[in-house]
């Protein structure tokens, strides 16, 4: 049936869902070898479309081609390689002990496919955040409908081409569209929903899933703090923080959101961060081929309002601050003296703005972090084991890196995910398969 009140092709959504309902047991009975073949074909096809992906990402938001291999292609191909290596062991029955009271029986765990799954993905890494969860779903023997973000339409369209080349729609299909399409999909009784996006929409997804008692994995966002103490190597800290903060224009779920720095090191940090930004992007970042743009005007205005609000409330600009709404350009911007109650410290920034806040007492930093939602990631730069232990013990985050940022995302042996407001459930490697 098609919905005449919107441009959503409901008949297509229902046709694909019903086809997957029927086909799910064929897919779930597939052997390890068959699943491995599918994963291999997905990997090869992705590589074949490498050039088109780069073009699409540039058209969507001037994503530099050099970043695409590292942040869109490699995470998927390496995740596929890892799944192929471990799949037989993951799907094999695992013997467990049987209590004496059940003498005469034996016990084992055998993981079963969930069935028909829905993946809703965001725009900031449109390829890997759709194909990463898909890798896990294929390894686990599921059928999948992917709803990519409408905000990066060129990338979504290449994604659909790749999937159509590898799979029949009764196994994996891409349905493009915006909120209305997601809303229609969410009415259907999927067995599992994997959502990556904002905590606000995560709540809508979990509410819809509850109506069908579908299980969910929610990969959400929030503010990921960095603590740089008085023992940290400032040069290393600044290089790593700046690389992560300004790549993809700060539009990354595990980007260092803000930095608490020991007051004795703030001048050194400010000087180093200025010089690192100049090294990376030159005097005029707008002219740099390595510097991308904010994805759209709505996000541009949101981030600009955070900068303006911080300055109105006494923040000082260490670097940057320039912007151009016609190009969704915001200069790499570093702020100090930022009031903790300003918008930039109360909301996920998701843009190229780095507030740095001096501290003298680590307990105050810990209290501030504890007063907010649990972060998706937390980063500590320190050589002091006691400080590191204290921060780890006293805070809760989806993942933590010591003397680095974002690296945990790339280790398939680690679970990736958040905690409550930053996420529910884990992905990557065996955790994604489970
Ligand atoms: P978003 O929540 O606005 O959108 C994500 C997806 O949900 C899109 O496909 C969109 O079409 C769909 N959607 C939007 N409104 C909806 C609604 N009312 N009902 C159903 N579906 C709806 O997020 P975004 O702006 O695309 O991405 C930014 C957010 O995602 C940030 O908060 C970021 O931290 C988070 N994120 C998290 C991860 C992670 O792995 N944890 C990765 C990337 C991004």
């Amino acid at each position: 049936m098609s919905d005449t009140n919107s441009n959503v092709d409901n008949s297509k959504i229902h046709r694909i869902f019903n086809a997957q309902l029927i086909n799910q047991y064929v897919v779930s009975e597939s052997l390890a070898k068959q699943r491995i073949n599918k994963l291999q074909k997905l990997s090869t096809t992705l590589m074949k479309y490498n050039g088109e992906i780069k073009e699409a990402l540039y058209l969507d938001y001037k994503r530099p081609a050099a970043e695409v291999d590292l942040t869109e292609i490699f995470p998927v191909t390496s995740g596929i390689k890892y799944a192929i290596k471990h799949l037989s062991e993951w799907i094999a029955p695992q013997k467990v002990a049987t209590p004496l009271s059940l003498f005469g029986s034996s016990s084992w765990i055998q993981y079963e496919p969930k069935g028909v799954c829905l993946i809703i993905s965001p725009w900031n890494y449109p390829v890997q955040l759709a194909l990463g969860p898909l890798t896990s779903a294929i390894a686990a023997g599921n059928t999948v409908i992917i709803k990519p973000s409408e905000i990066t339409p060129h990338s979504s369209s290449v994604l659909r081409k790749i999937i159509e080349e590898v799979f029949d729609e009764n196994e994996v299909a891409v349905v493009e569209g915006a909120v209305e399409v997601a809303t229609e999909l969410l009415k259907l009784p999927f067995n599992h929903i994997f959502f990556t996006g904002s905590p606000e929409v995560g709540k809508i997804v979990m509410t819809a899933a509850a109506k069908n008692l579908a299980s969910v994995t929610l990969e959400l966002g929030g503010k990921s703090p960095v603590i740089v103490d008085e023992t940290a190597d400032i040069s290393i800290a600044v290089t790593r923080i700046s690389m992560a903060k300004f790549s993809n224009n700060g539009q990354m779920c595990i980007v260092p959101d803000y930095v608490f720095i020991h007051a004795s090191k703030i001048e050194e940090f400010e000087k180093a961060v200025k010089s690192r930004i100049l090294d990376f992007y030159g005097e005029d970042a707008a002219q740099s081929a390595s510097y991308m743009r904010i994805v759209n005007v709505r996000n541009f205005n949101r981030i600009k309002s955070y900068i303006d609000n911080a300055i109105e409330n006494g923040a000082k600009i260490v670097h940057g601050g320039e912007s151009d709404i016609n190009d969704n350009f915001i200069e790499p911007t570093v702020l100090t003296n930022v009031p903790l109650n300003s918008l930039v410290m109360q909301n996920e920034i998701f843009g190229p703005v780095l507030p740095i806040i001096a501290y003298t007492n680590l307990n105050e930093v810990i209290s501030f972090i504890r007063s907010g939602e649990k972060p998706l990631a937390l980063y500590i730069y320190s050589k002091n084991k006691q400080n590191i232990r204290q921060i780890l013990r006293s805070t809760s985050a989806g993942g933590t890196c010591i003397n680095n940022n974002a690296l945990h995302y790339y280790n398939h042996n680690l679970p990736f995910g958040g905690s409550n407001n930053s996420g529910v459930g884990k992905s990557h490697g065996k955790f994604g398969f489970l």
Side-chain angles (χ1 to χ4, degrees):
M1 231 178 353
S2 94
D3 181 348
T4 46
N5 296 322
S6 73
N7 56 5
V8 182
D9 186 355
N10 286 351
S11 60
K12 181 179 169 198
I13 292 173
H14 290 246
R15 183 193 76 228
I16 296 172
F17 181 79
N18 288 330
Q20 294 201 357
L21 265 188
I22 294 166
N23 191 40
Q24 64 174 306
Y25 289 104
V26 175
V27 176
S28 72
E29 284 168 13
S30 57
L31 304 171
K33 199 168 171 281
Q34 292 166 299
R35 296 182 199 181
I36 286 170
N37 285 343
K38 291 176 199 172
L39 289 171
Q40 254 154 358
K41 193 165 175 205
L42 178 62
S43 185
T44 319
T45 312
L46 177 66
M47 294 306 289
K48 191 175 112 185
Y49 278 88
N50 187 306
E52 266 192 59
I53 291 170
K54 284 178 178 148
E55 274 167 35
L57 281 160
Y58 191 80
L59 287 171
D60 281 332
Y61 47 174
K62 292 203 175 150
R63 187 85 169 271
E67 269 185 28
V68 174
D69 286 324
L70 189 68
T71 62
E72 295 280 9
I73 312 288
F74 172 73
V76 180
T77 51
S78 74
I80 288 177
K81 207 167 152 197
Y82 186 90
I84 287 174
K85 185 166 171 212
H86 295 280
L87 202 145
S88 301
E89 142 216 339
W90 293 343
I91 66 176
Q94 291 165 21
K95 247 183 138 9
V96 293
T98 304
L100 212 57
S101 54
L102 301 178
F103 180 74
S105 60
S106 62
S107 316
W108 69 93
I109 297 168
Q110 172 98 54
Y111 294 112
E112 292 180 350
K114 294 260 188 189
V116 185
C117 299
L118 172 64
I119 294 173
I120 300 182
S121 53
W123 52 263
N124 62 328
Y125 291 96
V127 176
Q128 68 134 316
L129 292 175
L131 299 188
L134 178 66
T135 301
S136 301
I138 295 167
N142 298 296
T143 72
V144 182
I145 296 179
I146 301 172
K147 207 299 280 171
S149 176
E150 68 283 13
I151 293 178
T152 40
H154 297 94
S155 309
S156 298
S157 156
V158 180
L159 202 61
R160 183 177 45 72
K161 275 165 82 175
I162 294 171
I163 295 301
E164 282 176 357
E165 196 163 315
V166 183
F167 298 98
D168 289 332
E169 71 172 24
N170 65 0
E171 184 160 1
V172 183
V174 171
V175 176
E176 290 166 274
V179 179
E180 317 81 64
V181 170
T183 306
E184 192 59 30
L185 283 162
L186 285 171
K187 290 180 192 159
L188 298 170
F190 283 95
N191 299 104
H192 188 80
I193 301 174
F194 190 113
F195 170 78
T196 306
S198 59
E200 293 67 38
V201 180
K203 289 175 196 168
I204 296 171
V205 170
M206 196 161 176
T207 305
K211 298 215 169 104
N212 294 309
L213 295 175
S215 53
V216 291
T217 309
L218 305 177
E219 294 288 0
L220 310 177
K223 293 183 86 63
S224 296
V226 187
I227 304 171
V228 182
D229 82 1
E230 63 279 25
T231 66
D233 183 322
I234 299 298
S235 177
I236 289 180
V238 166
T239 303
R240 293 179 181 170
I241 294 166
S242 316
M243 269 172 80
K245 182 73 191 191
F246 301 112
S247 118
N248 215 34
N249 232 229
Q251 302 168 114
M252 171 168 63
C253 59
I254 47 172
V255 69
D257 189 276
Y258 60 91
V259 179
F260 268 115
I261 172 137
H262 194 270
S264 62
K265 296 282 181 176
I266 194 157
E267 272 180 36
E268 190 184 345
F269 191 97
E270 285 178 13
K271 246 172 106 176
V273 83
K274 242 176 127 55
S275 122
R276 218 61 93 244
I277 292 171
L278 292 174
D279 290 347
F280 290 164
Y281 306 112
E283 287 288 344
D284 183 2
Q287 302 305 321
S288 166
S290 316
Y291 193 68
M292 57 180 276
R293 299 295 185 264
I294 305 298
V295 73
N296 56 22
V297 172
R298 190 169 65 84
N299 277 285
F300 172 92
N301 285 330
R302 181 182 60 76
I303 299 161
K304 178 80 169 60
S305 77
Y306 295 170
I307 300 176
D308 295 345
N309 169 272
I311 290 167
E312 276 159 28
N313 287 289
K316 299 264 172 306
I317 293 179
V318 174
H319 184 88
E322 293 299 317
S323 61
D324 176 4
I325 193 168
N326 298 315
D327 194 23
N328 293 332
F329 168 79
I330 293 184
E331 205 181 357
T333 298
V334 182
L335 302 170
T336 48
N337 282 348
V338 186
L340 294 181
N341 61 358
S342 57
L343 290 177
V344 79
M345 287 304 293
Q346 294 295 322
N347 296 281
E348 178 180 13
I349 301 169
F350 222 60
V353 181
L354 184 68
I356 50 182
I357 300 127
Y359 78 89
T360 46
N361 181 346
L362 191 56
N363 289 323
E364 286 171 13
V365 174
I366 289 169
S367 311
F368 178 78
I369 294 170
R370 280 182 174 181
S371 69
E373 298 285 0
K374 290 181 192 170
L376 180 58
L378 175 75
Y379 304 120
I380 307 168
Y381 283 87
S382 172
K383 289 184 194 138
N384 180 325
K385 288 206 170 99
Q386 206 185 323
N387 281 355
I388 295 171
R389 263 199 305 272
Q390 185 189 350
I391 299 165
L392 287 174
R393 214 180 27 238
S394 323
T395 57
S396 171
T400 303
C401 287
I402 299 162
N403 293 317
N404 223 316
N405 19 247
L407 277 198
H408 61 304
Y409 186 85
Y410 292 91
N411 183 346
H412 302 296
N413 298 305
L414 290 172
F416 179 78
S419 191
N420 301 126
N421 196 70
S422 54
V424 173
K426 299 291 171 205
S427 58
H428 292 189
K430 180 158 187 195
F431 304 93
F433 167 84
L434 291 179

